Amino acid sequence: MNRKIMPGEKKRLTTGRQKQILDAAVKVFSQKGFSGATTKEIAKEAGVAEGTIFRYFKTKKEILLGLVGPYIAQSLAETIDETSDKSDRIVLKAVIKNRLELIKKNIDLVRLLITEAQFHSDLREQFTEKIVLRSAGLLEAFIARKVQSGEYRNIDPRIASRALAGMVAIFVLWKEFLFGDKYIAFDEEEVIETVVDIFLNGILNKRGKEAAAQ
Amino acid sequence: MNRKIMPGEKKRLTTGRQKQILDAAVKVFSQKGFSGATTKEIAKEAGVAEGTIFRYFKTKKEILLGLVGPYIAQSLAETIDETSDKSDRIVLKAVIKNRLELIKKNIDLVRLLITEAQFHSDLREQFTEKIVLRSAGLLEAFIARKVQSGEYRNIDPRIASRALAGMVAIFVLWKEFLFGDKYIAFDEEEVIETVVDIFLNGILNKRGKEAAAQ
DNA sequence: CCAAAATATGAGTGAGTACTCACTATTAGT
DNA sequence: ACTAATAGTGAGTACTCACTCATATTTTGG
C-alpha cells in the first residue's frame, strides 16, 4: 500500500525525478523567467514527458515553490564559521570568497530567486528568511562583536554589514545580471582585495596602521 | 496627407497617446513582468482600447523597447554637476541623495529595466550604455581626479566608484525589490551618512582628520 | 457644415499554453 | 510467472493571449 521507507532516506531530494525536474526548472526559469518558461520546455530539459511533471507538481507555480524547501537549503544555505585567530583582513576575504563561490556555483538559482521574488510573495518570504536574513545575520554579528570590543568604530552593524555586502554584490550583479565582461572585466581577486581594504580602513578604529601600498 | 509638424515639437513624447501607453506599460510590466503582463491590462491601465496600442507599437516587445529612447532619457538621465568647492563629504552625500530621489521617483521603471534587461539583450544594451555606464562614468571620473591629486589613496577608481554605488544600491534593492520595511526599516539619512563616512575614511589619504563621533 | 482623412474601437482569430487522462511500461511482492 | 500497484507518456482540452480588421468616432480643412 505505502512504499517502504528506507532507513536513511526520509526526503531524498538529492536524487530522483523530483530533483531532476527542479534542476531543469531552475535552468529554464532563469533563462526565460517564470512566465516566459513553458512546462514543455522544462520537460524537455529534464528529459521526461510533460505529463510526468504534473505527477510531481500540481501546477507550474508549485514547481517554483518546490525550489525553496530542501532544494535551496541544499544549494545555498551552507554556513561558514571562521572563528579563527587570523586577521580581519584574512577572515573577511575568506568569507567573501566562500560566498562568491557559492553564488557562482548556483548563479542560475540566485538570478531566478532575485528576479521572481518580486512577483511571488511566498517565494520572497522563504528566500528572505532562509537565505538572506540568515547570511546578513552572520556578518552583522561579526561586525557587532568588533564594534563592541572597540576594534571597529561605533557604526551601526546592520548598516556596515550591508554596505560591505553591497560593495561585493554590485560586481556580481554587474557581471552576472547585466553585462558579463563586455564593458569591463574585473579581476575578482583585485576587487575583493580593494573592497575589503576600503571597508576595513573605513571602519577600523585608528591606531598605528599600515599605510596603503603604493 | 502627413500632419503638420509644429515648430517646437519634433518628437513630443512628453504627452499624447504614446506617452500615455508607455506610462501604463511601465506600471503593468513592473508589477507582472514583461511576460506576465497582458496587452489588455496595459490598454485598460492606459484608458484606451487594446487595438489602439497596436496603432502605436507593432508588437508587445516594441512597447518595451519604446521605453529606452527619449522616455528613459527623460526619466533617468538627468545629470548633476557638483563642481563645487564644498567638501567631499557634502558633495558625495548630495550626489547620492540626488540619485536616490531620481530612482525613487522612477522606481517602477528601474525595477522593470533591471528585471527585463536579463532577458532582452537589446533592452540591456540601451539601458547599459545610456544610463549605467554614463552614471558610473561620472562618479569614476570624480574619484579618478581625487586619486590623481593625491587626496585619495591609490585605488582603482573603477572599483572604488562601483563599491560606493554598491553600498548605496543594496539598501535600495533591499527596500524596493525584496522586503519593503518588513524586517528592518533603515533611515535613509543615517544610511547615507554612514556609507559616505565608511567610504571616505576608507579611501582618504591619511592626514590629521576628525575622529569618529562617539 | 460637409467630406475626407486620421484615429480609435473591441469582437474575432489563430497560435500556443497549462493541465488532464486514458493508456502503456516498469517495478515489487509472492 | 503472474498480478497489482506505481510511474511515465503524449495527444487532447479548455482557455488565454498577442495581434487584426471591419466598423465607428473624431478631427481637419475648406
Side-chain angles (χ1 to χ4, degrees), chain B residues 68-80:
Chain B
V68 293
Y71 190 93
I72 269 193
Q74 201 170 76
S75 306
L76 292 178
E78 284 175 29
T79 216
I80 29 166

Side-chain angles (χ1 to χ4, degrees), chain A residues 134-148:
Chain A
R134 203 166 293 184
S135 299
L138 288 176
L139 190 53
E140 207 178 303
F142 175 86
I143 293 175
R145 250 181 285 124
K146 299 284 187 174
V147 169
Q148 226 145 25

Side-chain angles (χ1 to χ4, degrees), chain B residues 94-152:
Chain B
V95 169
I96 289 173
K97 257 185 226 169
N98 172 292
R99 241 47 211 176
L100 283 183
E101 278 313 307
L102 200 55
I103 288 173
K104 281 204 300 209
K105 212 168 30 184
N106 297 283
I107 186 63
D108 282 349
L109 181 58
V110 171
R111 280 179 46 185
L112 172 60
L113 288 174
I114 293 178
T115 305
E116 298 301 333
Q118 293 176 79
F119 308 124
H120 309 274
S121 58
D122 28 26
L123 184 67
R124 177 168 62 240
E125 268 152 40
Q126 297 262 357
F127 174 51
T128 307
E129 278 157 29
K130 291 205 172 139
I131 307 298
V132 183
L133 287 181
R134 203 166 294 183
S135 300
L138 288 177
L139 190 53
E140 207 178 302
F142 176 86
I143 293 175
R145 249 180 286 125
K146 299 284 187 172
V147 170
Q148 226 145 27
S149 79
E151 275 184 273
Y152 289 176

Side-chain angles (χ1 to χ4, degrees), chain B residues 1 17 48-49 51-52 55-56:
Chain B
M1 194 157 267
R17 281 287 110 91
V48 300
T52 303
R55 175 169 288 281
Y56 291 89

Side-chain angles (χ1 to χ4, degrees), chain A residues 183-210:
Chain A
Y183 299 97
I184 308 181
F186 288 104
D187 176 64
E188 188 180 302
E189 195 66 37
E190 190 192 346
V191 165
I192 295 176
E193 175 66 39
T194 307
V195 160
V196 169
D197 187 57
I198 293 177
F199 181 75
L200 283 179
N201 248 288
I203 203 173
L204 274 172
N205 245 332
K206 35 213 65 183
R207 292 169 195 184
K209 199 64 44 52
E210 78 283 9

